[in-house]
Each structure stands twice: as structure tokens, then as C-alpha cells.
Amino acid sequence: MREIKTNWTSEELKIYTLIYCANTDFSESKFEINYIKSKMRTSNFEKIQNEFKKDNDYQSIKRIQLLIKDHGYTNDDINTLFKEIKTLFLSDNKYDFLEKNLNRGLKRILNN
């Protein structure tokens, strides 16, 4: 298993997390991609997306967990991230079963 890079900025973490969430249903809609890109100031979407494609599900979760810890995210920071995730899920006007389950699972993982 390849080493998980943990020296990303908070913005890169957020973009990676949103890309991970957008792929819950195994595809990124144009609405989801546009929403993610609207959250970027300095990050390179394609670079982060390519990193995401190299990771399996376990590596993605570990990367997100490590970066949240490394950046010292508070409960408020995590809640803000989840608001953005929910907005992402709703950007294509549907909030399906897979998205709801991922949202619940991430909350359990990240709030521990």
C-alpha cells in the first residue's frame, strides 16, 4: 500500500473530501464538479482528483482522517465541512441512499 501524503493545505483537504463524496455514486455530476471548483482558491482540481483516483476507499478515509487531525479541525470545523458536503450532495437536486449512508458513515468516523 502506498504512503498517504499528509502535508496538504486545508483547502486541498476540503477539495479531496468533496471529490470523495461526489464519487459516492461512482460518478461526479457536472453540478458536483462545478460546486467543488467554486470552493477552490489556489488548489489544482485535476491534481487532487488524480490523487483521489490513485487511492482506494480505505486510503481515502485514512487520508481524510489524518489531514483533519494534522490541521487540528475542531467540531465546528467538521460541522462546517459537513454543511459543504450536504450542499454538494444537493447540488444535482437529489440526495440518494448512497449519499445519505456516506454522510452518516463519515460523521461516525470523523467525530471520533
Side-chain angles (χ1 to χ4, degrees):
M1 186 180 305
R2 68 189 193 94
E3 183 179 341
I4 297 172
K5 181 179 177 183
T6 60
N7 62 346
W8 283 1
T9 65
S10 287
E11 180 179 289
E12 289 168 323
L13 162 62
K14 178 171 57 175
I15 300 308
Y16 183 90
T17 304
L18 292 174
I19 290 171
Y20 175 74
C21 291
N23 280 275
T24 300
D25 54 2
F26 308 105
S27 68
E28 301 163 339
S29 75
K30 66 180 179 180
F31 301 106
E32 291 168 331
I33 291 171
N34 288 338
Y35 176 76
I36 294 168
K37 287 182 176 180
S38 77
K39 295 294 176 185
M40 298 173 59
R41 291 187 192 142
T42 61
S43 298
N44 180 324
F45 178 81
E46 287 76 22
K47 177 186 139 204
I48 297 170
Q49 188 178 44
N50 286 335
E51 269 310 300
F52 168 77
K53 288 178 181 180
K54 293 177 190 174
D55 290 345
N56 61 38
D57 195 55
Y58 176 81
Q59 291 167 320
S60 292
I61 292 293
K62 281 298 175 194
R63 182 186 302 269
I64 293 166
Q65 284 179 309
L66 287 170
L67 287 164
I68 282 177
K69 182 180 176 187
D70 288 351
H71 286 284
Y73 269 46
T74 65
N75 284 337
D76 286 342
D77 296 328
I78 292 172
N79 289 335
T80 299
L81 179 61
F82 276 104
K83 286 178 186 172
E84 292 182 7
I85 290 169
K86 181 84 177 257
T87 302
L88 169 76
F89 286 151
L90 296 172
S91 67
D92 58 2
N93 295 318
K94 52 184 177 165
Y95 187 42
D96 66 28
F97 180 74
L98 293 172
E99 292 169 334
K100 289 176 186 176
N101 281 340
L102 177 65
N103 199 37
R104 273 188 235 119
L106 274 178
K107 282 184 180 179
R108 284 188 185 139
I109 291 167
L110 299 181
N111 284 322
N112 287 333

